[in-house]
Amino acid sequence: MDRQTCDVLVVGAGAAGLAAAVTAAHYGASVILAEKAPVIGGTSAWSGGWIWVPCTAVAHRHGIVEDISEPRRYLSAVLGNGFDADRVDAFLAAAPEMVDFFETRTALRFDCGARIPDTYGDLPGAGTGGRSVIAQPFDGRALGADIALLRRPLPETAFLGMTIQAGPDLRAFLTATRSVSSALYVAQRLGRHLWDLARHGRGMQLRNGNALVARLLKSARDAGVDIRPSHPVQRLTRDADGVTGAVLQGPSGPVEIAARRGVILAAGGYPQDAARKSASFPHPGHHRTLAVPEATGDGLALAEAVGGGQATDLAAPAAFCPVSEVVWPDGRKGTFPHIIDRGKPGVIGVLADGRRFCNEGLGYHDYVRDMLRALPEGAEPMSWLVCDHRFLRRYGLGIVRPAPVPVGPWIKSGYLKTGATPRALATACGIDPDGLRETLETFNTFARRGEDPAFHRGTTPYMRLQGDPDITPNPCLAPIETAPFYAVRLVPGSFGTFAGLRTDCLARVLDHAGQPVAGLYAAGADMASVMGGHYPAGGINLGPALTFGFVAGRHAAGGAA
């Protein structure tokens, strides 16, 4: 067996693993980054890319200055009994340091979500903007030959392979048929994208999680990290003092790596591990994940074999999101996350009885949670998003794009159900016709006045941001009355798992007695979520992933106590 040595071995090349590797290398460690897949980026490369990290210099540059006690107060209110003061404080203290480190020492640069509020605006300490950042767009040509290593965007959330970023970029695409400036912007973006496809075989205008991973990949190369795709880990090695390294399966056979200062697990959690999902997920057989196929719980299994333990007491096992199942013309199947469309004015979510069950404009995690709570016992876990023709052509619905992109192929495939009347639509979907009719009559009566007495849509900054500022008096509400009518079937999905390994404030894996397993760290989805299984804001996966990757890399390299 080939035997090699490094200071720090990182397992997994998503945002957490790349952050750990880059940090450790900058603090003087020799680093090997082992990735199971033949490409780099993990589920992070498919993500929207927003990162929740309060009180950073990025926010300060936009005039947003607050005391760290405010986001702490907000997390305490959201997390309740799941509030782990030590780990929350460690996250809030290290997050601004992480952002400063990457902006000053690496190729990573951030833009500020100055107008992005926290999800629960009615709770104490909720922020109205500045707590989120996102990697600036990146020209993929700067990666050179390494562009072949970058995981391509998820087809369902891209347009012809082009990533579109929430905010002004997305708004331009949604208003291209109603604004000359938007049309010119979209034409320029599409023209450049088509040129890149012809010349490079892929999009080079990288945004969202793809831009984040690309910048981290370049930073890793610049820092001298030894990146090894197609190198899954078979097992960890240890002696009486703790974890000493791991055995990798390389293309030419097994390789034993001795890691002098530690091993950092960042393999993406267990969203593709059927056994673990069956033990922890509600309705696991009906659940659809948005995670990459390689996220099969390797990190958790490796840690458990040397004494680490999984957290099983979180409020939810995963970051839930409602999804629809897409069948492409070539027969390939995909999954679309309903992040944006639910909050637009003129759409509602209903169960099979035709009744609403939630505030559609609240968070995607809340939508799935409320759907599962509202289901009758024994019912199939599913719901329908219902809209009219005006809505569909203005905003799109799921994978169906707004005008002028044609909708016929999605009706023909069965993805998009339609009917000339609400009753006809209900029949096509298997929804109770009388229930849907009554729901629409009640909803429309109040929506014309900008009111939602049942679920209070449009009453917080978060909901209003999800809406349409051109719609008054409530940007989140409009009647559903312009025939024909449409619906898409939604089922429970998730971006990734929360229930990772128990860790301390330094990201060290804990054993069943609560003591650190010497030489072993975890970050990203391999670490139990610091949010306790709650979803207080967009970006609460990537924020802690980057932050604790940074913490683990720095500590393992000996750069800080």
Side-chain angles (χ1 to χ4, degrees):
M1 183 186 298
D2 187 14
R3 289 177 170 81
Q4 302 172 17
T5 302
C6 65
D7 291 324
V8 177
L9 171 64
V10 180
V11 180
L18 284 163
V22 171
T23 304
H26 270 278
Y27 276 100
S30 60
V31 181
I32 293 176
L33 176 59
E35 167 58 46
K36 180 180 183 179
V39 290
I40 300 300
T43 304
S44 301
W46 284 354
S47 73
W50 285 100
I51 304 158
W52 197 77
V53 278
C55 303
T56 65
V58 180
H60 296 170
R61 293 199 296 264
H62 285 75
I64 302 171
V65 180
E66 60 178 341
D67 190 83
I68 202 74
S69 62
E70 284 302 287
R72 187 184 196 276
R73 192 160 68 107
Y74 176 64
L75 291 181
S76 177
V78 177
L79 274 53
N81 293 335
F83 184 78
D84 182 338
D86 289 342
R87 288 208 308 149
V88 168
D89 288 342
F91 164 66
L92 292 175
E97 297 177 5
M98 177 273 293
V99 170
D100 286 346
F101 169 84
F102 281 108
E103 281 216 311
T104 58
R105 301 194 190 188
T106 77
L108 191 48
R109 299 290 182 272
F110 297 106
D111 285 331
C112 182
R115 295 180 56 248
I116 299 178
D118 293 333
T119 303
Y120 308 111
D122 56 331
L123 293 182
T128 56
R131 293 179 180 175
S132 300
V133 301
I134 193 168
Q136 291 181 358
F138 188 70
D139 188 339
R141 293 174 297 183
L143 286 177
D146 276 345
I147 188 67
L149 281 180
L150 180 66
R151 188 183 290 272
R152 292 173 182 260
L154 188 67
E156 288 73 30
T157 56
F159 181 64
L160 301 176
M162 178 174 63
T163 48
I164 300 173
Q165 184 173 310
D169 190 43
L170 175 61
R171 181 161 179 78
F173 278 84
L174 290 177
T175 59
T177 60
R178 307 192 302 274
S179 163
V180 173
S181 60
S182 292
L184 291 173
Y185 175 86
V186 169
Q188 182 183 37
R189 283 267 274 133
L190 280 173
R192 164 70 192 278
H193 178 67
L194 293 174
W195 170 256
D196 286 340
L197 287 179
R199 186 169 184 181
H200 303 285
R202 66 178 294 163
M204 291 290 180
Q205 305 172 78
L206 307 181
R207 281 171 166 75
N208 304 340
N210 231 229
L212 172 65
V213 169
R215 287 182 174 275
L216 286 169
L217 175 56
K218 186 175 190 310
S219 301
R221 286 296 195 203
D222 292 345
V225 174
D226 182 352
I227 302 173
R228 302 190 185 184
S230 300
H231 275 73
V233 178
Q234 292 183 319
R235 59 184 175 87
L236 298 177
T237 57
R238 67 173 304 168
D239 60 18
D241 296 322
V243 172
T244 59
V247 175
L248 316 181
Q249 181 60 47
S252 302
V255 181
E256 183 173 352
I257 306 293
R260 289 183 289 258
R261 299 186 185 178
V263 175
I264 302 173
L265 300 174
Y270 66 97
Q272 300 284 8
D273 183 335
R276 287 187 192 273
K277 285 172 64 178
S278 293
S280 60
F281 275 53
H283 304 283
H286 296 273
H287 190 92
R288 300 293 179 266
T289 183
L290 292 154
V292 295
E294 293 84 4
T296 55
D298 295 359
L300 276 66
L302 290 168
E304 288 170 341
V306 295
Q310 180 184 2
T312 57
D313 56 351
L314 281 67
F320 292 138
C321 177
V323 302
S324 51
E325 298 170 288
V326 180
V327 179
W328 293 95
D330 62 2
R332 180 172 49 87
K333 295 182 179 180
T335 304
F336 183 91
H338 289 260
I339 301 172
I340 296 170
D341 52 3
R342 297 170 298 98
K344 297 290 185 249
V347 67
I348 57 172
V350 300
L351 296 178
D353 61 4
R355 312 292 181 183
R356 291 174 70 203
F357 58 90
C358 73
N359 182 330
E360 299 89 351
L362 209 53
Y364 31 84
H365 184 80
D366 302 277
Y367 186 98
V368 173
R369 179 201 62 200
D370 293 345
M371 179 178 72
L372 295 179
R373 288 176 178 175
L375 287 171
E377 186 175 355
E380 181 182 356
M382 54 165 283
S383 66
W384 295 88
L385 280 186
V386 175
C387 72
D388 64 7
H389 189 71
R390 179 204 63 85
F391 180 97
L392 188 76
R393 297 287 59 197
R394 187 178 179 96
Y395 309 112
L397 185 67
I399 196 71
V400 183
R401 310 304 187 189
V405 181
V407 304
W410 297 113
I411 295 175
K412 183 179 179 180
S413 73
Y415 175 85
L416 183 66
K417 303 295 185 182
T418 186
T421 65
R423 177 170 291 275
L425 176 67
T427 300
C429 298
I431 299 172
D432 178 68
D434 292 330
L436 182 60
R437 176 184 56 78
E438 293 171 8
T439 295
L440 287 175
E441 288 176 355
T442 302
F443 176 82
N444 289 345
T445 298
F446 288 105
R448 293 186 189 99
R449 305 202 296 256
E451 299 173 1
D452 179 21
F455 295 102
H456 312 292
R457 264 170 76 175
T459 56
T460 67
Y462 175 86
M463 293 180 220
R464 290 192 289 273
L465 184 66
Q466 309 307 310
D468 183 342
D470 294 334
I471 301 298
T472 58
N474 187 330
C476 304
L477 292 171
I480 303 169
E481 56 189 0
T482 306
F485 300 88
Y486 302 93
V488 168
R489 180 177 179 268
L490 270 57
V491 298
S494 67
F495 294 110
T497 47
F498 282 152
L501 299 163
R502 295 191 182 280
T503 58
D504 65 9
C505 300
L506 294 171
R508 296 179 297 186
V509 173
L510 302 178
D511 63 19
H512 295 286
Q515 298 301 309
V517 177
L520 188 61
Y521 302 79
D526 279 357
M527 164 192 277
S529 172
V530 70
M531 303 301 168
H534 297 272
Y535 213 103
I540 57 89
N541 287 322
L542 283 176
L546 288 165
T547 299
F548 283 109
F550 164 76
V551 168
R554 183 174 63 177
H555 189 268

